[in-house]
Amino acid sequence: MEATFRALSEHGYSELRMRDIGEELDVSRSLIHYHYDSKHDLISAFLEYIVEQYEGSVDVTEETDPWSELDRRIDQCLFGPEFDDGFGHWERMRVYHELFSQAQHDERHQEIFNRHYERIRGSITQVIERGIEEEMFRTVNADEIAQLITDIIHVARERKISLGQDDAPEQARRAIDTFVLASLVNPEFVVTSMKSSN
Amino acid sequence: MEATFRALSEHGYSELRMRDIGEELDVSRSLIHYHYDSKHDLISAFLEYIVEQYEGSVDVTEETDPWSELDRRIDQCLFGPEFDDGFGHWERMRVYHELFSQAQHDERHQEIFNRHYERIRGSITQVIERGIEEEMFRTVNADEIAQLITDIIHVARERKISLGQDDAPEQARRAIDTFVLASLVNPEFVVTSMKSSN
């Protein structure tokens, strides 16, 4: 999968051949084909891999409160986890966004992308729903808010990648805080916690 | 410019040659070169043309109140003006978004795009500032809000184009209303108008 990242980064999706991934790995094309029937299978596994790298590595446990979890998930998507091997967050995001913009040209590819996009949005929906249950958040439309957060993150990365607007991610973080997360605050919860801590 | 639209729609930016535009117009390549020194000049004029098609055609006069102007500008960007010739809003937006995603590969191209993006965002900033002056809107950070509106519009079009999510534009319109425009309402202005109408 790391070889796929590097091959996609170098060749782009439309020019990518199984052979390029083989070259990155120093193995034959047929070995790659042994594991992945087609470019579609590979891209599907690859998107799974990216989602896992970003979603799976968020530092949360069952004890993490919904605010902190939401915070960490947003920051992970915007600013990325740490990577050891020098192929960093923005190089990875450049590959991801290129795949995204090409998804329109292939129905199967588009389907895979929709599924993975749904998973990213879904984990934000879940933490908002948990916050509502625990009465930390107001009773809001969790799907709508998760969509908006996902959208703001997506476009900020794109403005940085496509237009070179390097402050876009920080700007997006402030916009999410001001316009979206502020609407989650349950004022009664704050009062209750303050009372119980007295 | 319409020929450029059609040629870009057919060939994509990276494959576009001046000759393709000539073919669309039934004129020679050299006539195109007579007007535009390079692909860059052409793309610059072309982006100007798109912005004008969307911005210039919004139905507003000096008497239009800031709420209505904002509404119409948002709808125009999301749902497009009417086009006579069968080459409609979404075909146009597909070309625009492809150019956007390719902007990263060329510094001059990126600069042109940034300038045009700034103009789109700027006209939203202006109407918000007018609303604040006329005390219809609260005193907010107009730049921040204009950026957020532009971003939500951009990503909704992209979700429709790249992922085939056809309800994205309507969803975006609701999100803008709920999370962004709601924060503009100046409660004192409503009271004042109600008083004066009694």
Side-chain angles (χ1 to χ4, degrees), chain A residues 94 100 103-104 110 114 117 145 147-148 151-152 154-155 158-159 161-165 171 179 183, chain B residues 94 100 103-104 110 113-114 117 145 147-148 151-152 154-155 158-159 161-165 171 179 183:
Chain A
R94 203 175 284 275
F100 186 96
Q104 59 179 296
Q110 197 179 61
N114 265 301
Y117 195 85
I145 293 191
Q147 183 67 62
L148 186 57
D151 280 353
I152 298 174
H154 183 92
V155 74
E158 218 162 70
R159 283 202 284 125
I161 293 170
S162 291
L163 302 188
Q165 298 180 355
Q171 221 174 49
F179 295 97
S183 78
Chain B
R94 205 175 282 274
F100 186 96
Q104 58 180 295
Q110 197 179 61
F113 234 106
N114 265 300
Y117 195 86
I145 292 191
Q147 183 66 62
L148 185 57
D151 280 353
I152 297 173
H154 183 93
V155 74
E158 218 163 69
R159 282 202 285 126
I161 294 169
S162 292
L163 303 187
Q165 299 180 354
Q171 220 175 50
F179 295 97
S183 77

Side-chain angles (χ1 to χ4, degrees), chain B residues 36-54:
Chain B
Y36 302 103
D37 270 349
S38 65
K39 209 160 142 176
H40 289 290
D41 284 347
L42 178 71
I43 291 299
S44 178
F46 179 64
L47 282 175
E48 195 85 52
Y49 178 72
I50 303 184
V51 172
E52 204 45 48
Q53 269 193 330
Y54 281 79

